[in-house]
Amino acid sequence: MRIFGPTGCRSLREDDPSLLSNAVYVIELALRMSPVPVSVQRKEHSDAEALYQQIRQALENGQPRLMDLTCEKVKGKKVTLLVSEVLAVQLYEKAAAAGGSKRPGFSFDS
């Protein structure tokens, strides 16, 4: 893989630690009657996992009724969700240095 930066081009291996430092973790929620998912990002895997578990618990219990989410990557991004309208939640890693990542799930694009 080649990364272009201000100093030119350099080769990186998939396990290069500099790739991991730019990774963010995306928590994506599918909402009832909405074709567009809602997503927020966390910089640390442990924070993303904790939020994932919190949302999952809310889905199981139906409590709290409303859930406020914020995004660590985009300052000021906030959303309040009605928990009963959340159909699914997923957590995945997105590596910024690698030009993003393919979204999880199925795709009709080849």
Side-chain angles (χ1 to χ4, degrees), residues 11 13 20 35 59 64 76 83 94 97-98 106 108:
S11 293
R13 294 187 347 229
L20 298 176
L59 290 173
V83 171
K94 181 178 177 183
F106 298 99
F108 293 112

Side-chain angles (χ1 to χ4, degrees), residues 6 9 20 27 30 42 44 51 61 71 73 80 83 91 95 109:
C9 178
L20 298 176
I27 299 94
R42 294 290 182 263
E44 300 294 326
L51 179 58
N61 302 329
C71 186
K73 186 172 182 189
T80 300
V83 171
L91 167 63
D109 300 332

